[in-house]
């Protein structure tokens, strides 16, 4: 009997908590109800889609909440609602041609209004992703101030530079997250951009909440998730260079308010633009003169299952998979020097044509429990990556190899990550917090160090490198409102990593006649690394529409093991790099939500750069050498000066130099050891400016038809790709256009990227001591996209 009374008492308490609700109608300017509008209570599981009359109702405990309201074709709004009893919450949405949307970001791992976030964040909405035709990370260059993208032939051999902080290594300097899954190293990047909800780019170090490799910043990609509204799309794109792109998606509730399913599939195929030239090479593989190099075919899939068994619990299961392959690969290929490349931008010089295939699968399970004043989150994720390549003319011929066959699929790199986190979720609390632990385990077979090098027909030198890494981190961040307008934030993270490499040295193993002969046993080396990442920020709300902040943040890039046999007395390991960022910023919205601006100034001290250096006669290994100081200013702005006209602009100014930085190299003319001082040289891959300007004008034709005209101008300032500052990419500009006709549920867009066919480098070697290899960016591309939405 006692248990029955307690049970009934608990039921009454829960019922009392949810006796309150918010209800209302979402209307347009004409007073008409908007069907299918999304009403989401931030940092809770609560959300609903308005009915045919625009009406909605959400049961909520008593308290204050931030509610986001959005609908297709309208500017979204974020409103603070005080729930007490039956609360009426009516919202009028303005057409997006007249007003800017208020932006929700998750830069601090909670849902916040962009204007109240003391971080430099570029948030690119689904609408902007479509209008700017952002199909890959390369398209973010200049849209995000002080962002530059480079790659060596394929998207999973990329360099992302934010404020000049970048590196071409298996451990990137910019962390990339896709739906809460971190690409721990470079080969985990290059996912196709499809069905995007938004892209957040956090500029500057973000070590406290995001941990390893967030030294330059974070690129956080969020795809669209299913909800109570059944929707879908089918899209076909065709263009020059043999472009074919087929994209479909479907989302639906399986059980209303409880269970949702969504799926997206994408197929892309395109030809390369480089034509192979074997003139003067003598003997080469047959039938390769004039062959197109850089062809690629990709198949991508993304599936969601979301379950809301109660008001306090949610579970989201996500599966992503992608296969990239090419029978005329551009993987790791380059042209010998920049003079040759600029003189013949559509040529490459190979004596063999290679191939590659990469398979990647991401899975994640996101569990949330919404308590009274707090949210518990568990994110479990796995990543599985397989890679094979053959006949890569680097120069010399390289192929993937593990133990059986030249060009075989390497054992998969496997990654498991687990994060447990607790966040406060009360909008009106003076104190908010986020704390948690993060663990990862990684077993890898890095593609460029698990290979054979052809010495003669059927005779190869074998290189092996297996890595076994794990790490554990503890982090916490607290924000306290000193006054209603002034908030102090402090955070700290401690990372502990263990890294082990099992490898052989040059000449230690041979492959002849299909048989591997190990001349020396493999070497095992390990290292242990720690990092402390503090954060401090002071944010002052000038008004509900403007704020100013000052912050200090730190980021780090993991230390590691040199996977080559080194002489005694030379360290097999190298330490982490660190970057300290000092920043002030201003954010504001005005002109009745027709204007939004952000202005940031920063100074970064980057210490202990991991750089290949001569450590013994003709032996190079990574060491922590010099430092960098970089500083700059960033601006972002959007305005609707008149109805149907929207202007976007961004500007990044950056100046960075190396400090106390001396390289040890071999002079290949004299074979003598020499010192090369690069102190005061300009920071590589750091343009002195990036500038973006876009104008889009919509012309209503009928109630169900609209024509949109868009033009973009992007400018990237001069920069050097090498430490010695001898390999220069001059300033260049790109002009893009798009014309879109929308008729009811159909969209037909004609687009041109790089109208002027400007030729520029997408990659240049980072150290010209070892050569001047470069790679040209794609020429003009143009095409058409037809989309049907339902």
């Amino acid at each position: 009997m006692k248990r029955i009374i307690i049970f009934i008492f608990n039921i009454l308490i829960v019922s009392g908590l949810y006796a309150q609700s918010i209800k209302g109608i979402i209307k347009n300017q004409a007073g008409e109800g908007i069907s299918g509008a999304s009403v989401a209570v931030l940092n809770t599981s609560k959300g609903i889609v308005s009915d045919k009359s625009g009406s909605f109702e959400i049961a909520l405990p008593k308290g204050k909440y931030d509610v986001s309201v959005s609908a297709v074709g309208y500017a979204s709004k974020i409103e603070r609602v005080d729930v007490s009893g039956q609360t009426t919450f009516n919202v009028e949405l303005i057409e997006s041609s007249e007003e800017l949307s208020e932006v929700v970001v998750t830069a601090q791992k909670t849902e916040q209004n962009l204007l109240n976030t003391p971080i430099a964040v570029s948030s690119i909405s689904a609408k902007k992703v479509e209008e700017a035709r952002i199909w890959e990370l390369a398209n973010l260059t200049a849209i995000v101030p002080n962002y530059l993208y480079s790659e060596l032939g394929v998207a999973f051999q990329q360099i992302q530079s934010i404020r000049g902080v970048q590196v071409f290594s298996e451990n990137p300097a910019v962390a990339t997250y896709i739906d809460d899954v971190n690409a721990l190293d470079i080969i985990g990047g290059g996912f196709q951009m499809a069905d995007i909800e938004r892209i957040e780019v956090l500029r500057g170090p973000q070590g406290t909440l995001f941990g390893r490799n967030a030294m330059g910043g974070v690129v956080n990609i969020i795809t669209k998730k299913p909800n109570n509204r059944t929707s879908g799309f089918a899209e076909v794109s065709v263009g020059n260079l043999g472009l074919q792109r087929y994209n479909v998606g479907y989302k639906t509730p399986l059980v209303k308010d409880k269970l949702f399913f969504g799926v997206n599939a994408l197929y892309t195929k395109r030809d390369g633009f480089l034509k192979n030239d074997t003139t003067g090479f003598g003997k080469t593989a047959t039938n390769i003169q004039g062959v197109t190099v850089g062809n690629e075919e990709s198949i991508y899939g993304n599936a969601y299952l979301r379950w809301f068994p109660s008001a306090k619990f949610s579970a989201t299961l996500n599966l992503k998979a992608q296969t990239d392959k090419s029978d005329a690969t551009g993987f790791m290929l380059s042209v010998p020097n920049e003079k040759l490349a600029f003189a013949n931008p559509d040529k490459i010089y190979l004596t063999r044509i290679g191939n590659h295939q990469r398979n990647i699968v991401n899975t994640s399970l996101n569990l949330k429990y919404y308590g009274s004043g707090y949210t518990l989150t568990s994110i479990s994720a796995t990543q599985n990556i397989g890679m094979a390549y053959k006949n890569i003319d680097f120069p010399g011929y390289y192929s993937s190899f593990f133990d059986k066959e030249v060009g075989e699929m390497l054992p998969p790199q496997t990654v498991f990550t687990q994060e447990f986190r607790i966040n406060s979720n009360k909008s009106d609390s003076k104190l908010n917090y986020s704390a948690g632990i993060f663990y990862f385990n990684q077993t890898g077979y890095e593609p460029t160090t698990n290979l054979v090098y052809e010495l003669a027909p059927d005779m190869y030198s074998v290189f092996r490198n297996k890595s076994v890494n794990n790490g554990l981190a503890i982090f916490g961040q607290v924000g306290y409102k000193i006054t209603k307008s002034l908030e102090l934030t402090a955070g700290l993270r401690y990372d502990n990593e263990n890294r082990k490499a099992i490898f052989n040295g040059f000449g230690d193993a041979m492959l002849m006649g299909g048989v591997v002969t190990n001349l020396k046993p493999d070497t095992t080396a390990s290292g242990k690394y720690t990092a402390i990442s503090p954060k401090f920020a002071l944010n002052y709300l000038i008004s509900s529409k403007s704020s100013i902040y000052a912050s200090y943040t730190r980021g780090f890039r993991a230390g590691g093991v040199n996977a080559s046999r080194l002489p005694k007395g030379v360290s097999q390991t190298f330490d982490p790099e660190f970057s300290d960022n000092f920043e002030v910023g201003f954010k504001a919205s005005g002109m009745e939500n027709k204007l939004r601006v952000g202005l940031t100034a920063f100074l970064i001290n980057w210490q202990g750069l991991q750089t290949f250096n001569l450590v013994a006669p003709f032996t190079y290994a990574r060491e922590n050498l010099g430092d960098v100081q970089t500083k700059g200013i960033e601006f972002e702005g959007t305005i609707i000066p008149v109805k149907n006209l929207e202007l976007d602009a961004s500007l990044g100014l950056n100046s960075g130099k190396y400090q106390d930085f001396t390289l040890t190299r071999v002079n290949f003319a004299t074979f003598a050891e020499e010192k090369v001082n690069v102190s005061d040289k300009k920071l590589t891959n750091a343009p002195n400016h990036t500038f973006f300007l876009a104008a889009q004008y919509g012309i209503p034709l009928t109630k169900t038809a609209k024509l949109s005209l868009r033009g973009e101008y992007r400018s990237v300032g001069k920069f050097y790709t090498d430490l010695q500052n001898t390999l220069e990419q001059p300033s260049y500009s790109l002009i893009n256009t798009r014309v879109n006709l929308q008729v009811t549920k159909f969209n037909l867009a004609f687009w041109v990227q790089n109208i002027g066919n400007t030729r520029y480098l997408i990659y240049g070697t980072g150290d010209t001591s070892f050569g001047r290899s470069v790679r040209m960016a794609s020429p003009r591309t143009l095409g058409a996209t037809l989309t049907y939405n339902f």
Side-chain angles (χ1 to χ4, degrees):
M1 185 66 181
K2 182 178 179 181
R3 290 182 179 179
I4 295 174
I5 293 172
I6 292 173
F7 177 75
I8 294 173
F9 181 69
N10 288 333
I11 292 293
L12 290 173
I13 290 175
V14 173
S15 299
L17 286 174
Y18 284 90
Q20 296 82 17
S21 68
I22 56 172
K23 60 186 300 186
I25 303 175
I26 312 300
K27 297 181 179 181
N28 61 21
Q29 293 152 284
E32 301 165 333
I34 301 174
S35 173
S38 173
V39 184
V41 184
L42 301 187
N43 299 305
T44 77
S45 63
K46 292 293 189 175
I48 200 167
V49 174
S50 63
D51 63 19
K52 291 182 180 180
S53 67
S55 300
F56 72 94
E57 182 172 5
I58 303 176
L60 285 170
K62 183 178 180 180
K64 293 182 180 179
Y65 299 90
D66 290 325
V67 179
S68 174
V69 182
S70 60
V72 176
Y74 295 89
S76 61
K77 286 188 175 183
I78 304 170
E79 300 281 356
R80 175 68 57 85
V81 181
D82 189 351
V83 177
S84 178
Q86 299 296 321
T87 303
T88 300
F89 178 55
N90 295 323
V91 179
E92 181 184 81
L93 294 182
I94 309 300
E95 290 183 13
S96 57
S97 60
E98 298 181 52
E99 187 175 289
L100 297 174
S101 290
E102 295 183 304
V103 180
V104 174
V105 295
T106 54
Q108 298 194 104
K109 298 203 171 183
T110 59
E111 294 174 319
Q112 291 179 288
N113 190 323
L114 173 66
L115 293 178
N116 300 334
T117 307
I119 298 173
V121 184
S122 299
S123 182
I124 304 169
S125 67
K127 178 173 175 285
K128 291 291 176 68
V129 168
E130 177 186 350
E131 292 168 350
R133 212 215 68 162
I134 298 176
W135 287 358
E136 54 192 3
L137 289 173
N139 301 133
L140 296 179
T141 294
I143 289 181
V144 177
N146 284 323
Y147 177 95
L148 180 73
Y149 176 92
S150 307
E151 69 173 41
L152 188 48
V154 289
F156 50 87
Q157 292 295 308
Q158 64 186 227
I159 309 171
Q160 294 186 78
S161 172
I162 297 179
R163 297 178 175 176
V165 180
Q166 37 71 36
V167 69
F168 187 43
S169 166
E170 65 272 16
N171 283 318
V174 173
T176 302
Y177 282 76
I178 304 179
D179 293 322
D180 295 318
V181 179
N182 184 8
L184 285 186
D185 64 22
I186 190 172
I187 191 142
F191 264 110
Q192 294 285 340
M193 295 278 207
D195 207 18
I196 302 297
E197 176 69 29
R198 69 181 183 276
I199 302 171
E200 297 177 8
V201 181
L202 286 60
R203 309 190 304 273
Q206 306 295 331
T208 305
L209 291 181
F210 291 90
R212 68 194 315 273
N213 300 341
M215 193 172 64
V218 174
V219 176
N220 193 15
I221 302 167
I222 300 100
T223 61
K224 293 180 180 178
K225 299 172 179 60
N227 55 30
N228 266 323
R229 180 174 175 266
T230 296
S231 63
F233 69 91
E235 182 180 277
V236 177
S237 298
V238 294
N240 66 333
L241 299 178
L243 172 68
Q244 300 176 57
R245 191 175 192 263
Y246 308 100
N247 189 11
V248 295
Y250 180 73
K251 302 175 184 66
T252 190
L254 301 178
V255 179
K256 186 180 179 182
D257 298 329
K258 295 292 184 182
L259 188 64
F260 311 95
F261 174 73
V263 65
N264 172 222
L266 173 69
Y267 172 81
T268 62
K269 185 178 181 180
R270 60 184 175 187
D271 298 333
F273 67 91
L274 294 169
K275 300 293 184 182
N276 193 43
D277 186 356
T278 60
T279 305
F281 276 143
K283 186 177 181 181
T284 65
T286 58
N287 301 320
I288 65 169
Q289 172 67 22
V291 168
T292 300
V293 175
N295 307 339
E296 190 162 47
E297 187 175 2
S298 295
I299 301 173
Y300 163 85
N302 182 21
Y304 275 105
L305 190 64
R306 303 182 76 196
W307 182 40
F308 293 82
S310 72
K312 288 183 170 291
F313 183 78
S314 69
T316 301
L317 179 65
N318 180 230
L319 171 66
K320 287 184 177 64
Q322 182 170 314
T323 293
D324 307 299
K325 59 183 180 180
S326 173
D327 58 3
T329 182
F331 173 62
M332 297 294 289
L333 299 181
S334 59
V335 172
N337 61 71
E338 71 275 24
K339 289 184 180 180
L340 187 60
F342 278 111
N344 303 280
D346 296 318
K347 286 187 177 182
I348 196 166
Y349 309 93
L350 306 175
T351 55
R352 284 188 194 174
I353 303 298
N355 59 70
H356 83 261
Q357 180 170 330
R358 182 192 69 152
N359 304 322
I360 180 169
V361 178
N362 280 8
T363 60
S364 66
L365 177 63
N366 190 320
L367 305 176
K368 288 184 180 289
Y369 176 80
Y370 301 91
S372 179
Y374 66 91
T375 300
L376 299 176
T377 302
S378 168
I379 303 173
S380 308
T382 65
Q383 189 174 71
N384 187 293
I385 309 170
M387 178 76 189
Y389 58 91
K390 190 173 184 179
N391 288 330
I392 304 301
D393 186 352
F394 193 61
Y397 306 124
Y398 296 82
S399 302
S400 58
F401 181 78
F402 182 64
D403 61 359
K404 292 183 179 66
E405 184 180 347
V406 173
E408 67 184 331
M409 184 69 68
L410 295 172
Q413 170 174 286
T414 57
V415 179
F416 171 75
T417 61
Q418 176 65 57
E419 181 170 312
F420 294 109
R421 189 172 72 240
I422 182 170
N423 297 84
S424 57
N425 62 14
K426 283 192 173 182
S427 300
D428 59 339
S429 176
K430 278 193 170 185
L431 182 71
N432 63 78
Y433 59 85
S434 179
I437 60 173
F438 173 83
Y439 170 80
F440 82 91
N441 187 294
Q442 176 188 38
T443 300
Y445 297 86
E446 203 279 318
T448 61
T449 53
N450 285 274
L451 54 83
V452 289
Y453 173 70
E454 185 174 319
L455 301 172
D458 203 25
M459 179 184 293
Y460 305 87
S461 182
V462 177
F463 296 85
R464 290 188 292 263
N465 176 25
K466 177 183 178 180
S467 59
V468 181
N469 310 316
N470 63 75
L472 181 68
I474 303 172
F475 62 90
Q477 179 173 298
V478 176
Y480 180 74
K481 293 180 180 177
I482 301 170
T483 67
K484 188 176 180 180
S485 301
L486 184 64
E487 183 174 24
L488 174 66
T489 300
L492 188 68
R493 184 187 186 102
Y494 174 77
D495 281 85
N496 186 303
E497 292 196 13
N498 300 288
R499 300 178 71 85
K500 181 170 72 173
I502 304 164
F503 56 89
N504 67 351
F506 179 75
D508 290 352
M510 300 291 292
L511 173 66
M512 292 180 289
V515 178
V516 176
T517 302
N518 294 309
L519 304 176
K520 291 183 180 179
D522 289 352
T523 297
T524 299
S526 59
K528 183 176 181 178
Y529 313 93
T530 60
I532 296 176
S533 305
K535 173 183 178 178
F536 299 98
L538 199 61
N539 191 41
Y540 181 72
L541 299 180
I542 302 170
S543 69
S544 62
K545 298 294 185 181
S546 62
S547 66
I548 188 169
Y549 72 90
S551 68
Y552 160 76
T553 57
R554 176 173 250 215
F556 78 97
R557 191 162 75 96
V561 178
N562 284 301
S564 59
R565 185 174 287 116
L566 301 177
K568 288 184 178 180
V570 177
S571 177
Q572 284 285 164
T573 63
F574 49 92
D575 294 329
E577 298 176 352
F578 293 94
S579 59
D580 295 303
N581 180 71
F582 303 89
E583 179 174 308
V584 293
F586 169 75
K587 301 178 183 182
S589 175
M591 294 174 55
E592 297 181 331
N593 281 342
K594 291 179 173 61
L595 171 69
R596 183 170 57 245
V597 296
L599 182 64
T600 309
F602 66 88
L603 172 77
I604 296 177
N605 291 319
W606 178 10
Q607 306 107 32
L609 274 69
Q610 300 165 4
T611 310
F612 277 101
N613 206 33
L614 188 72
V615 295
F618 296 96
T619 302
Y620 286 85
R622 279 198 187 101
E623 292 187 314
N624 297 90
L625 292 181
D627 302 330
V628 166
Q629 185 177 91
T630 181
K631 54 185 178 292
I633 296 173
E634 296 162 344
F635 169 81
E636 291 181 290
T638 301
I639 187 172
I640 300 177
V642 296
K643 185 178 180 179
N644 295 315
L645 176 62
E646 183 170 326
L647 305 177
D648 294 301
S650 73
L651 172 67
L653 302 177
N654 190 22
S655 176
K657 290 186 177 182
Y658 293 102
Q659 299 178 334
D660 301 321
F661 207 131
T662 301
L663 306 170
T664 305
R665 293 291 183 265
V666 170
N667 185 318
F668 289 101
T670 64
F671 294 102
E673 181 180 308
E674 65 180 12
K675 300 291 183 180
V676 180
N677 188 354
V678 297
S679 300
D680 292 327
K681 297 289 186 181
K682 292 184 180 297
L683 178 59
T684 61
N685 294 312
N688 55 29
H689 78 265
T690 62
F691 176 68
F692 174 79
L693 179 64
Q696 179 152 319
Y697 185 66
I699 305 172
L701 303 176
T702 68
K703 286 186 176 181
T704 58
K706 184 177 182 179
L707 181 68
S708 297
L709 309 175
R710 181 180 179 87
E712 295 178 359
Y713 174 79
R714 306 186 193 205
S715 175
V716 177
K718 182 181 81 170
F719 63 93
Y720 297 97
T721 73
D722 65 323
L723 292 161
Q724 295 84 353
N725 283 188
T726 64
L727 207 169
E728 178 185 323
Q729 166 57 60
S731 297
Y732 65 91
S733 300
L734 305 175
I735 297 175
N736 305 328
T737 62
R738 180 175 183 265
V739 178
N740 184 77
L741 176 63
Q742 177 187 348
V743 180
T744 61
K745 297 179 179 181
F746 289 91
N747 282 282
L748 177 61
F750 298 94
W751 45 264
V752 184
Q753 303 276 298
N754 188 8
I755 286 180
N757 200 30
T758 300
R759 309 315 300 268
Y760 60 97
L761 300 178
I762 194 69
Y763 170 82
T765 187
D767 187 342
T768 44
S769 303
F770 307 110
R772 306 184 68 84
S773 300
V774 300
R775 182 69 181 262
M776 297 300 292
S778 297
R780 178 195 302 115
T781 56
L782 53 90
T785 299
L786 176 64
T787 307
Y788 173 67
N789 296 292
F790 60 91

